[in-house]
């Protein structure tokens, strides 16, 4: 297995996931200054969307590339 390719795929999909998380935070709020909810949990939630998206993207990217690598090994 090519570990560098797996890590690279994870980083790229983590970046894409972070961008999607930031887009979700932007869509969810009218503006970052005016919050919809006043609970302490929801006040900082828009800051965590990019982290959540990046971690999910990394996990998905690494998993997908591992499956591709194992399929290529099996075919050989």
């Amino acid at each position: 297995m090519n570990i560098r390719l797996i890590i690279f795929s994870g980083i790229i999909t983590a970046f894409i996931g972070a961008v999607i998380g930031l887009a979700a935070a932007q869509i969810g709020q009218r503006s970052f200054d005016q919050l919809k909810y006043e609970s302490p949990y929801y006040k900082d939630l828009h800051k965590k969307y990019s982290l959540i998206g990046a971690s999910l993207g990394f996990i998905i990217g690494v998993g997908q590339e591992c499956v591709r690598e194992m399929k290529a090994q099996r075919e050989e």
Side-chain angles (χ1 to χ4, degrees):
M1 293 182 81
N2 189 355
I3 193 72
R4 287 184 184 178
L5 185 61
I6 292 171
I7 298 297
F8 177 74
S9 176
I11 290 171
I12 295 299
T13 54
F15 177 72
I16 293 170
V19 170
I20 291 172
L22 287 174
Q26 183 67 31
I27 290 170
Q29 297 288 339
R30 292 183 199 151
S31 69
F32 283 120
D33 298 331
Q34 180 183 9
L35 298 172
K36 286 185 178 180
Y37 307 106
E38 296 185 16
S39 167
Y41 177 76
Y42 289 110
K43 285 186 179 181
D44 295 329
L45 187 61
H46 66 278
K47 295 177 183 177
K48 296 177 186 174
Y49 276 0
S50 62
L51 181 62
I52 293 168
S55 60
L56 286 175
F58 184 79
I59 291 168
I60 290 170
V62 166
Q64 182 180 10
E65 193 59 38
C66 282
V67 168
R68 285 183 188 166
E69 289 287 322
M70 289 190 308
K71 183 179 177 184
Q73 278 183 346
R74 188 181 68 172
E75 289 177 356
E76 290 176 358

